[in-house]
Each structure stands twice: as C-alpha cells, then as structure tokens.
Amino acid sequence: GAVVSQHPSRVICKSGTSVKIECRSLDFQATTMFWYRQFPKQSLMLMATSNEGSKATYEQGVEKDKFLINHASLTLSTLTVTSAHPEDSSFYICSAGPGGGGETQYFGPGTRLLVL
Amino acid sequence: QKEVEQNSGPLSVPEGAIASLNCTYSDRGSQSFFWYRQYSGKSPELIMSIYSNGDKEDGRFTAQLNKASQYVSLLIRDSQPSDSATYLCAVNNLVGYKLSFGAGTTVTVRA
C-alpha cells in the first residue's frame, strides 16, 4: 500500500506554545489529506480536510484559528496547534490516498502530543 | 442515527476460531467500504477494501458487502492472538472523499 509518514512521532511542550506536525505522502501525490484526533479509548474524530493550494475545510466544532492547516505541496500537509493547552493533548493522525484524495485512505503513524 | 454502526463488542474468541464483525451504514449513496485494524497506541492500518456486493477474500480475512441491506462484515478465520485489536469499519460516499468511521469493535483472541 501507499506510505504516509508523520513527524514528529511524539512531542511534549509547555502550555501556550505552538506545535507543528507534518504529514507526508512518500510514494504518491495527494491533493487531499485528512487530519484526525483520537483521545484514549475513543473513536477517531475527523478534524479537517486539507486541500492542496486552498483553504482547509474544518469539521463542526473544530477551531480553525487554533488548528492551522497548510497544504503547500502535493506531498506535504502541516497541522499547527497554536497556543496549546493540556486539553489539546491527544493522538493526532493524518491520512491520504493516492486516488486524488478519494477511495482508499492510508494513515500516517500518528503524533502523540502532550501539553504540560 | 449514526452514519456507521458496528457491533459494540468487545468480542472474545478462542485461538483458531472465526471472529465475525458487523457494520451497517445509513447513506445509500456509499460507494466504498473499508476495514481498518488499530492496535492499542497505534494508528489504523488498512486490511480490506470492498466496492461490490458479495465476498472478497484476502488470506484469513473475508469482507462481505450487501448494499441492499446496507451491511458490510469482516470475518477473520483461524484467529490468532496477533489479531487482537480494534477493528474499524469505514464508509466513503465520495462526497468530499471523507471517510465515516464506526466506533470500532475490540477483538481479543484467547490463546
């Protein structure tokens, strides 16, 4: 299957700082990528759809000014958690698919964020 | 009504048995159906995709799709302890290419 990477895999930061997470499609181009968040013992929650060259589409209840998404190239999307607080501590996972964003989605390994 | 519903579990099966996972979806326009496996602390991993009515087999896994009944299932034959994980059913109606996920069914295979 297609390979999606994320960096960093784990990050610990102080409250109030911003954290950037990268999602890369390694062997295909992706015009659309997706960002999810997962709290312990809970389901995946879609946060936003990242569109190459245009603004991201956020799901209801997700603060677009807090979770900044940039999809500047066909292989890279970034999620920046601005002014992070302890309640933002979670497992952030991106996904992408080689079919122009549709059909099969492959997940990155995830980024575990801990805000102290 | 949730878009995608899975049998709640947890499901415990003895090693070597068949694990049966069920999923129903509400959107009749759904086109693509996926099963992902998620080990604790890890991200989901695609194990099966199915697009047409009927069965699709891949090794010990068989996915079954019935669009008329809006039902998709996954059978795991000869279950192994390494199959112990949460299995997520996902449905794509190709509008915006978003996947709708079920809450997942946790499977434990007893040695």
Side-chain angles (χ1 to χ4, degrees):
Chain A
V3 181
V4 178
S5 71
Q6 275 184 251
H7 178 80
S9 59
R10 183 182 297 268
V11 59
I12 301 173
C13 69
K14 292 182 180 179
S15 184
T17 60
S18 294
V19 174
K20 180 185 283 189
I21 302 170
E22 294 185 348
C23 176
R24 293 182 185 271
S25 55
L26 297 186
D27 52 359
F28 64 96
Q29 294 183 331
T31 54
T32 304
M33 294 182 174
F34 301 92
W35 287 96
Y36 296 84
R37 181 167 56 180
Q38 188 175 37
F39 293 106
K41 307 287 187 186
Q42 294 188 23
S43 302
L44 285 171
M45 187 194 84
L46 179 65
M47 300 176 67
T49 302
S50 172
N51 303 299
E52 188 269 335
S54 65
K55 290 183 179 179
T57 305
Y58 291 82
E59 295 300 302
Q60 190 173 10
V62 177
E63 300 175 59
K64 59 181 67 176
D65 293 330
K66 180 167 184 64
F67 299 100
L68 301 179
I69 291 173
N70 184 279
H71 194 151
S73 79
L74 288 171
T75 59
L76 173 65
S77 174
T78 61
L79 169 69
T80 300
V81 183
T82 62
S83 186
H85 291 284
E87 58 266 29
D88 298 321
S89 298
S90 189
F91 191 36
Y92 292 86
I93 316 171
C94 70
S95 75
E103 297 301 332
T104 306
Q105 294 287 312
Y106 296 91
F107 283 87
T111 296
R112 199 162 298 281
L113 171 64
L114 177 60
V115 185
L116 302 176
Chain B
Q1 182 189 8
K2 293 182 180 178
E3 290 185 46
V4 180
E5 298 205 45
Q6 296 183 237
N7 44 337
S8 57
L11 179 64
S12 179
V13 298
E15 185 173 359
I18 295 175
S20 178
L21 304 170
N22 302 318
C23 174
T24 58
Y25 59 94
S26 61
D27 186 349
R28 282 198 172 274
S30 299
Q31 299 290 324
S32 308
F33 307 86
F34 307 92
W35 283 99
Y36 289 86
R37 176 177 62 198
Q38 186 174 24
Y39 291 115
S40 181
K42 302 294 186 182
S43 67
E45 170 193 13
L46 179 70
I47 53 172
M48 289 285 283
S49 60
I50 187 167
Y51 307 99
S52 304
N53 281 330
D55 295 358
K56 180 181 178 182
E57 187 175 316
D58 184 359
R60 295 185 295 109
F61 298 99
T62 299
Q64 299 173 316
L65 174 61
N66 184 325
K67 290 186 179 180
S69 299
Q70 295 175 241
Y71 173 89
V72 58
S73 67
L74 180 71
L75 297 177
I76 308 174
R77 291 184 304 281
D78 188 24
S79 295
Q80 302 296 308
S82 59
D83 295 325
S84 297
T86 297
Y87 290 81
L88 302 169
C89 172
V91 176
N92 186 334
N93 63 10
L94 298 186
V95 175
Y97 301 120
K98 291 191 296 185
L99 288 177
S100 296
F101 282 90
T105 300
T106 298
V107 174
T108 300
V109 180
R110 310 186 304 271

